[in-house]
Amino acid sequence: MSKLRIVMTLLVRDEVDVIEAMLDCHFALGVDFVIATDNRSVDGTTAVLERYQRQGRLHLIHELDDDYQQGRWVTRMARMAAVDHDADWVINADADEFWWPRAGDLRSTLAAVPATVTAVAARRYNFVPRPDDGQPFHQRMRWRRTDSLTHDGAAMGVKVCHRAHPRVEVAVGNHSASGLPGARIDDGGIDVLHFPLRSYAQYEGKIRLGAAALERNTEFGPEIGHHWRRSATLHRDGALAGAWSAWVYDDDRVRAAVEAGELVEDLRVSRVAAAAPDRAPGPPAPQPPEAAPAVGRVAVMSEPEPAAVHSIGDGVSYADGAEDEVLAVLRAADDVSSGSAELARHMVDWPTRYHFSYQRANLLRPLDIRPGMRVLDVGAGSGALSRYLGEQGADVVAVEGNPARAAAIAVRCADLPNVEVVAGALDDFDRPGTFDLVLLVGVLEYAGADIGGAGGAPAMLRRARSQLRPGGAVVVAIENQLGLKYLLGGREDHVGRPWVGIEGYAGRPGVRTWSRRALGALLAAEGLDRQHWLAPFPDYKLPSVVVDQRLYGQPDAADLLDQIVLQPVVCLDQPPVRLADAAGAHRVFADAGLAADVANSFLVVASPTGDPPHQVVRDDALAWLFGGYRLPPWRRSRLLTVDRELVVLDDGERRRRGWLTQEPGRRRPFYRGRTFGEQALAAVRRHDEQGLRHVLVRWRDELDRRAVDVEPPDGDVPPFLLADSKRGLPDGHLDVSLSNFVESDGQVVLIDDEWRTGHPVDLRVAEFRALWVLAREVVTLGIEHPWGDWATVDDIVARLADLAGVDVDPDVVAGWREAEVELQLLVSGEPRERLLDGWLSGALRSVDLRPDRQEADELRWLRGEAVPRLSAALAERDAEVDTLRRERAALAGERDEYRGQRDHYEGVIAAQRDELERLRRPRGFVGQLVRRQPAVRRVAGRVRRGLRR
């Protein structure tokens, strides 16, 4: 298959402060060529564009008209991209827009778009204006709005890119494209990062010139360019400067907006624009304090490497673009520990989440890491795992091929003298027979690619094994080639396209993963045939559950997996698209005995058979449970043992913060059986509303059995209790979700009562909260439910409440929502606005996460309703046209008849005029007399005038 070719069109006027960074970023993100139209620039923009044109990366058009014909000019470029430049996809951009894929690059993102889709919409997110301190815009403007609104609160329309087509028509503003044969999707995994207000001088000039050009356009109505017209009015009234001051965010306003969830720090443009690996020749752009020139795509630090870093060989060129940002954050942080909440506050995208999330260390918690153990961490990244290993007392050597990442490890582990940092590749590292463990976490898959040395996986494993001392083990963490996420259509993590691994990685050797059987054989072939397998969920990067191989051999393995792996597929590094019900599919594979083979990731502890191995994994473990994201006071790790006990691996002490208390305890039994939640979801999948009603009624009966009378509270009403509360649940019943009740040995057991509030919980609030949780699961798991993919969470809650016999009181819902915000703020630190837009939003629908269903529903609607309706309307219009045509023919006949009559009467009139003139003219002798004698002429004239009267 030939490489996907992306051509960008660009219409610019006086954008010299942004144009170079914009081009550099898009070339780095996968744009192959740019067609630019320069509309009368005078600030140096033209010279920048001409420089890129000399390099052969840009075609420049000079447009001298000054009447805002944007749609016509962009359409011209878009058609040129298709006809003259062999484009597959065309991105129609403005100079202040950065088209940023949420995962991978633009090429991989657009390659994954279904063939039936010819246009992809992208939402815009505005970066807020900052005081102008002379720095480049991308260094000052690092905070963007979390909503898709303008600076004055107006909703922004989406922007559209499209497959190349010679007859495409691009609308004004690039908000839509017509003349394309296929469908459009509203979320193709691309966001537009928008920098419209970079300085007052830039904005004032833009409004002055743009609004004047718009006024000269006689084709557009007032609705076109309305935001420019509004700003132009402010400019005419002398109020633009005052408005600008109100729009600017100083440091205090930024901090307040971040705390309120209105802004988020987003450094994607800043770090790529600063490094600019593909910058065109010319004056270098100003660099941020900790950024430096780049060699290839590997950032080189401007200051000397820390003394703790020992360099060997040439290293490797792998980087994800976040290196400068990660190093800057680590240098400024007070807490760089593996569980740091301070670092977690800097997670703004997938790369920063991967570097800063405390959940990274969950991967290694199942391993027995002891003080004095020697560990080699190969491809250590920015040191998240090296830091954890060092905190456990192990002597760690962190080998990292990227110098910038090696510097980050040195900063992260500066207070750990037991961590040594080496900048280089495994091929150049040689301390044979030294280590108890050699970690290859997210490394083996690159062994056959250029960035991994291209030596191949067998050579890397051989090299790793040679570093082991007797009893040591190689620990491999890697994605499964046949993982459930990939089987259900998720994009392959390394190349960004679906089903690449399923098809066997066609093409020349490069990055790849293996199936469980193939990976086991690969390890065994290099002498690592003693293997202990674990499965991290949702994957090895940020695991919340790690399943031991022993669990898969249990007779009730399917029920156990249902109970502990609630979401087997979570795609944090790509758009949240559900092509199937992942939990339902996981159950099917588990019932077939294939769950171990379709785990998304593997964690394998492999050692040579001949050596007595160190005990690395507990021999009584079935699974480790870590839960979702929580602030440090509430985190806990639990072990499920073969004796079916849940053992808390942390201190297990009572923890309190504000009105909330956590009592995890030390040990508690793990009850066999299916939860009410599993039973309810099974009924939903069968579209069995009667069966669902039966489960919900039994659950509600259990709550009624546990309910107690409560006194209305005096004074302030505590969370989860209402002013008019009369019936409640005892303390410890904060979370009575259906998944927390298990039917075991003939009794119903509440399996999670760790949360305490110090007071009862209103029964109505607890019921509604549980139904909300169930409705969210139905939608977010992608379940094919009986209420249709267009039903919202609110709709499903209402249906569940009806089946359960629960009356939904709006006051109860409002009370629960406020209490839930307080709870989540305490436990996760999630801002209120983000909660209301996310977890507490009832507008989410299954179709929002399943674009294939949305397209199918739209197609069914078109075929079943819209097309017949349009056909009837067209037939009616055709009949009207026929009637009008007949009327026109009749009128034409009448017109011809009247024209004939007119000609006849005009001839009669002309003849009568001639006759009258003849009668009036004197003849013979009388005529000569009249002509010769003036007196007679006067008399004759009076006679003629008299006759005329």
Side-chain angles (χ1 to χ4, degrees), residues 101-362:
R102 298 189 202 122
D105 57 15
L106 287 168
R107 187 172 293 113
S108 61
T109 299
L110 292 175
V113 175
T116 56
V117 173
T118 53
V120 172
R123 292 185 69 187
R124 287 185 290 167
Y125 295 91
N126 270 2
F127 283 69
V128 297
R130 295 273 288 147
D132 191 355
D133 57 3
Q135 294 189 82
F137 77 95
H138 54 78
Q139 294 182 30
R140 291 182 291 109
M141 300 174 64
R142 305 198 310 270
W143 290 269
R144 65 167 172 82
R145 297 179 66 112
T146 54
D147 52 32
S148 185
L149 300 178
T150 65
H151 54 274
D152 51 0
M156 292 195 295
V158 299
K159 291 300 183 86
V160 171
C161 63
H162 57 85
R163 295 189 191 273
H165 195 280
R167 300 297 298 278
V168 69
E169 191 81 26
V170 182
V172 174
N174 307 334
H175 299 299
S176 64
S178 57
L180 302 171
R184 185 185 105 172
I185 57 175
D186 290 332
D187 188 354
I190 301 174
D191 295 327
V192 176
L193 309 182
H194 194 209
F195 295 83
L197 309 179
R198 302 184 294 280
S199 69
Y200 178 72
Q202 165 261 325
Y203 188 64
E204 189 273 338
K206 180 176 182 177
I207 293 304
R208 176 168 38 82
L209 296 175
L214 192 60
E215 289 298 325
R216 283 188 288 272
N217 189 303
T218 59
E219 300 176 12
F220 295 160
E223 73 281 358
I224 301 297
H226 57 89
H227 55 294
W228 281 33
R229 299 179 196 272
R230 186 167 58 248
S231 296
T233 301
L234 292 173
H235 187 267
R236 283 194 302 269
D237 296 342
L240 189 62
W244 174 266
S245 299
W247 297 335
V248 170
Y249 281 68
D250 59 15
D251 293 343
D252 291 338
R253 186 179 180 187
V254 166
R255 279 192 292 271
V258 169
E259 291 176 1
E262 299 168 358
L263 297 184
V264 63
E265 189 173 16
D266 189 334
L267 301 175
R268 287 176 286 180
V269 173
S270 176
R271 63 175 181 251
V272 175
D278 295 318
R279 184 174 297 284
Q287 298 293 318
E290 300 198 359
V295 178
R297 293 189 182 272
V298 181
V300 179
M301 308 316 300
S302 58
E303 52 189 60
E305 291 181 349
V309 178
H310 172 58
S311 296
I312 58 172
D314 296 328
V316 298
S317 59
Y318 177 80
D320 61 15
E323 284 74 21
D324 289 344
E325 177 186 354
V326 169
L327 183 57
V329 170
L330 290 172
R331 283 175 170 161
D334 294 322
D335 179 9
V336 294
S337 66
S338 61
S340 171
E342 180 183 357
L343 294 181
R345 288 196 292 271
H346 292 276
M347 298 186 302
V348 297
D349 53 14
W350 170 243
T352 51
R353 181 181 291 273
Y354 181 69
H355 289 292
F356 293 142
S357 175
Y358 78 87
Q359 293 173 300
R360 288 287 308 281
N362 289 345

Side-chain angles (χ1 to χ4, degrees), residues 766-921:
E767 287 175 338
F768 186 84
R769 184 181 193 274
L771 294 176
W772 181 272
V773 171
L774 182 59
R776 288 279 306 184
E777 286 183 340
V778 169
V779 172
T780 57
L781 291 176
I783 294 175
E784 178 75 26
H785 55 76
W787 307 294
D789 283 343
W790 292 84
T792 64
V793 171
D794 283 335
D795 296 333
I796 297 175
V797 170
R799 187 59 186 149
L800 294 174
D802 181 59
L803 292 171
V806 173
D807 293 328
V808 178
D809 185 335
D811 293 335
V812 171
V813 176
W816 160 73
R817 200 177 301 275
E818 289 303 314
E820 190 71 21
V821 167
E822 287 194 43
L823 173 65
Q824 296 300 329
L825 282 172
L826 277 175
V827 175
S828 69
E830 192 80 357
R832 176 187 181 88
E833 287 72 15
R834 196 176 300 168
L835 286 168
L836 295 176
D837 290 339
W839 159 245
L840 296 179
S841 171
L844 187 67
R845 309 165 300 178
S846 297
V847 73
D848 295 327
L849 301 178
R850 300 181 69 159
D852 58 325
R853 296 295 179 82
Q854 185 174 0
E855 293 167 12
D857 285 350
E858 290 175 351
L859 184 59
R860 282 195 295 271
W861 178 81
L862 286 170
R863 289 174 175 169
E865 183 175 344
V867 171
R869 186 184 301 170
L870 288 172
S871 298
L874 287 173
E876 183 178 350
R877 183 62 57 84
D878 288 343
E880 293 177 0
V881 170
D882 290 340
T883 300
L884 291 173
R885 284 174 175 167
R886 287 193 295 271
E887 292 178 355
R888 184 183 66 180
L891 291 172
E894 292 180 12
R895 180 196 62 194
D896 293 340
E897 182 179 350
Y898 288 133
R899 283 177 176 172
Q901 293 178 5
R902 182 196 64 190
D903 294 343
H904 168 72
Y905 288 118
E906 286 179 350
V908 171
I909 292 171
Q912 289 177 346
R913 283 177 177 165
D914 291 343
E915 181 62 19
L916 179 61
E917 187 63 28
R918 185 185 67 77
L919 293 174
R920 288 173 176 170
R921 188 181 303 121

Side-chain angles (χ1 to χ4, degrees), residues 339-398:
S340 171
E342 180 183 357
L343 294 181
R345 288 196 292 271
H346 292 276
M347 298 186 302
V348 297
D349 53 14
W350 170 243
T352 51
R353 181 181 291 273
Y354 181 69
H355 289 292
F356 293 142
S357 175
Y358 78 87
Q359 293 173 300
R360 288 287 308 281
N362 289 345
L363 178 72
L364 301 184
R365 297 186 196 278
L367 307 184
D368 184 18
I369 308 297
R370 301 180 299 277
M373 180 179 282
R374 296 277 293 164
V375 181
L376 175 62
D377 186 4
V378 179
S382 63
L385 298 183
S386 298
R387 174 78 202 193
Y388 171 78
L389 292 166
E391 291 171 348
Q392 307 310 304
D395 294 326
V396 183
V397 178

Side-chain angles (χ1 to χ4, degrees), residues 71-119:
R72 178 162 57 84
W73 299 336
V74 175
T75 295
R76 175 178 62 191
M77 292 188 288
R79 293 180 177 182
M80 286 177 61
V83 176
D84 300 330
H85 295 279
D86 299 323
D88 295 301
W89 279 89
V90 180
I91 297 175
N92 303 304
D94 295 335
D96 56 8
E97 295 174 351
F98 293 74
W99 288 66
W100 217 279
R102 298 189 202 122
D105 57 15
L106 287 168
R107 187 172 293 113
S108 61
T109 299
L110 292 175
V113 175
T116 56
V117 173
T118 53

